[in-house]
Structures are given as structure tokens and as C-alpha cells.
Amino acid sequence: MAMADVTVMGAGAFGLSIAYACAARGARVRVIDTQGIGAGSSGGIVGTLAPHTPENWNEKKAFQFDSLIMAQAFWQGVQDRAGRDAGYARSGRLQPIADDRALGLARDRATQAATLWQGQAVWQVVPATDHTDWAPHSPTGFLIHDTLSARLHPRQACAALAGAVRALGGEVLIGDHAPAGPTIWATGYRGLLALSQEFERPLGNGVKGQALLVEHDARDLPQLFADGLHIVPHGDGTVAIGSTTERDFDAPDTTDDQLGAVHARAIAAFPILKDAPVLERWAGVRPRAKSRAPMLGPYPGKPGQFVANGGFKIGFGMVPKVAQVMADLVLEGRDAIPAPFRVQANF
């Protein structure tokens, strides 16, 4: 493989992971971010890496499955090179089952997962009595337990990626610096708005999210999902609770009263968190492409430039595979990006 000089604009999850993948293959990389490492939505606190349901299989679900399976080795490699923890653990997830119809659907999905997940993870229906101390209330007395879901600590993960890039000889620069050579634009929701303006059509936008971090040590327990909330235990003795979805917002970097309702719902669903002190309230804007899938590939009309954006709620879970296919494309000219993920899919 020929050496390549690569500039990545954006030090979030996609930008840093692509820079790491390129550097690991011997390329000289430079990451530039005007605001800082993980300054956008990648600097959040939730960090849930959860799969789509194992049914109606398509390219997006297959891509995500591959990425979640790759994650253990990917993040271990990042940690080894950076010498710091990314907070990754494939800890699984528990979900309540509301009624008999949902129970039948969950069992059907368990059967499909046995094939679609290729024996590398399971989606199973288990008695709620198997998880008495750390589980959501389930009206049917059964829970969905999947072993594919994982978690990481977003800020720790971004810091570890930046450390790994530097350990491989790359640069991570903060401030205004001009790109040079092949350039990958991984600039979050502002990048999607800029693309929309450039091409005079809506290609993507930002969706505000908010989350809470509380002090409760459940580091070895699975994440939980109930009442639309993700409850994610981190390895540092904290638990993240998130998140809201707000399409209309005036102050994207400030929290508002919606978090009070989120906290109340979390306590109602998981009373064990009632007395857990709130450590942090977070708000940020996540980039969502028009197609709702990641937007990857050549920048239309600009040879030698590329786009990697639109991670939205599944960005960190997609990171290992996104990094791989973008490094393939930029360094080797090998295009393995699924059609639904291509920039043109949003036109």
C-alpha cells in the first residue's frame, strides 16, 4: 500500500476513528478540530452500543452487526496504543416485555437472531426472576436479554482514539488549520447543514439530545432499556441516563427542564436509582443525515475529499466498521460502502 497523507476535519467519533485506522495502516494523518476533542455530540455521557432488532435484515443492520462484533478487538487496539481506557465492555442489555403480543414478537426475534447473528451473540427471552436486583419491571414477567449490546464512555473513547493517533505518529490539532492532501470531513451537524446549503437541498440536520449522569456503581451489570430510556452503567461507578430527542431547539449547548422529566421516568422505571446523586446534566446536538444512516464516501464534485458524518444515535456502535471502510476508500481506493450509506442516498 502506498503511503498517503490524510487530513481529517473533526475530532469526534467518526473523525478520530478513521484517522486511527489510517494511521494504523501506515498513513501520516492530521486531525483538525476548531473546538476540541469530542467537542460535539461525541463528547456526551451515554455511550450505548445497541443493535437493531434481528429481523427484516438489510445492509444497514448487517453493517451495524459487523461493527458491533468488531468492537472488542477495535477498542482493545485503541486502548493498547493509547495506554488509556475507552470504557468499552460488551455487557449486554435487558428490556421489559409489555404484553403477550410483544412476548410473541420477542420470541420470533430470538429465533431469527440465532441465524442472523451467526452464533456470535444471542437475543433471548428470559424470566425476569433471573435478574431481580438490576432490571426493569416487566408486566409479562419476561425480559429480552441480548449479548450483542455494549457500552463505552464517549469522552474516554475520544481521548483514547486521539492518544492512539498520536502514538502512531499522527497529529491532533485544535484551532484553525488548513487541510492538506486527501481530506475527510467529519464535522458533525454543522457539516450536514453546510452540505445542505452547498447543494441547496436538505441533506441532514441536527437533533438535540440531553442526558444525565448519576453516581451508582453497576459497572459489571448490563445496560437497561425501558420507557424509551437508556440506562448505561459505566466502569467508573457512574450510570448514564438518556436521552431526549428535540428537533427544534434554540440553545443546543444548554440543558432544560426536559431532563427533570427524564430523571423522574428513570426513577419510576428503576427505583434503585432514586437516591443516586446527579453528577452532570449534558446537552448536545447529534448529526442526523436525511437517510438516517451514516453518510459516507466521496464528497460530490470534489476529488480527493470525502464525507463521514451522520452517526446520530448509533455513531459509536458504527465506529469500527466506518473506520475500516473509510480507510479502505481513502488509502486504497476500495469502495465497500453500502448503497444506503452513500452521500448520494440523501439527495
Side-chain angles (χ1 to χ4, degrees):
M1 182 199 74
M3 287 291 290
D5 294 319
V6 177
T7 298
V8 179
M9 301 299 292
F14 277 11
L16 287 168
S17 64
I18 294 165
Y20 164 71
C22 289
R25 300 189 193 189
R28 296 186 298 269
V29 301
R30 171 178 288 182
V31 180
I32 299 171
D33 196 296
T34 58
Q35 297 178 297
I37 295 167
S41 60
S42 294
I45 55 179
V46 179
T48 180
L49 281 59
H52 290 290
T53 53
E55 62 183 355
N56 301 323
W57 210 237
N58 56 36
E59 287 183 291
K60 182 177 178 180
K61 290 188 177 186
F63 189 102
Q64 187 196 44
F65 173 79
D66 289 346
S67 194
L68 291 171
I69 292 299
M70 293 165 63
Q72 178 71 56
F74 178 89
W75 290 108
Q76 189 61 57
V78 170
Q79 292 176 163
D80 289 347
R81 287 186 167 102
R84 61 188 302 163
D85 186 16
Y88 174 85
R90 189 170 147 185
S91 51
R93 179 173 63 167
L94 298 172
Q95 303 176 67
I97 302 175
D99 52 36
D100 288 342
R101 179 183 175 278
L103 181 59
L105 185 59
R107 286 176 168 150
D108 287 344
R109 288 170 172 168
T111 300
Q112 293 182 69
T115 300
L116 296 171
W117 288 2
Q118 304 163 30
Q120 299 186 74
V122 296
W123 169 294
Q124 56 192 343
V125 175
V126 299
T129 51
D130 290 356
H131 301 273
T132 53
D133 295 329
W134 178 256
H137 170 70
S138 183
T140 58
F142 291 93
L143 299 167
I144 297 166
H145 178 214
D146 84 79
T147 62
L148 185 55
S149 293
R151 51 91 167 157
L152 52 69
H153 193 297
R155 294 173 190 168
Q156 291 177 14
C158 285
L161 281 166
V165 168
R166 288 173 171 140
L168 289 165
E171 296 179 287
V172 181
L173 304 178
I174 309 304
D176 291 318
H177 300 273
T183 301
I184 299 153
W185 294 87
T187 45
Y189 87 97
R190 290 184 178 88
L192 293 179
L193 295 178
L195 280 167
S196 297
Q197 184 175 13
E198 179 178 352
F199 291 100
E200 299 181 335
R201 63 185 73 196
L203 301 181
N205 55 23
V207 178
K208 182 180 177 182
Q210 299 189 80
L212 289 159
L213 194 69
V214 301
E215 184 178 355
H216 182 83
D217 196 342
R219 69 186 68 197
D220 297 322
L221 298 174
Q223 60 181 279
L224 310 175
F225 182 75
D227 192 21
L229 296 176
H230 295 279
I231 311 294
V232 183
H234 289 303
D236 60 0
T238 63
V239 171
I241 303 168
S243 62
T244 65
T245 295
E246 302 168 49
R247 296 184 183 181
D248 298 317
F249 50 86
D250 295 320
D253 298 321
T254 59
T255 57
D256 60 38
D257 292 340
Q258 290 201 49
L259 269 189
V262 167
H263 196 198
R265 283 164 53 204
I267 291 171
F270 311 103
I272 195 170
L273 299 176
K274 180 176 183 296
D275 298 319
V278 176
L279 301 176
E280 183 178 348
R281 296 156 57 91
W282 175 86
V285 183
R286 298 164 295 193
R288 185 179 69 178
K290 181 181 177 182
S291 67
R292 299 179 66 91
M295 182 191 289
L296 309 174
Y299 198 123
K302 295 186 178 181
Q305 298 195 47
F306 306 85
V307 176
N309 208 328
F312 195 36
K313 296 181 179 181
I314 57 175
F316 275 105
M318 294 287 205
V319 153
K321 187 76 170 178
V322 165
Q324 180 188 72
V325 299
M326 288 301 294
D328 287 345
L329 178 62
V330 175
L331 299 183
E332 303 176 18
R334 184 155 51 91
D335 190 342
I337 296 168
F341 289 21
R342 306 190 74 81
V343 179
Q344 289 80 359
N346 296 275
F347 277 70

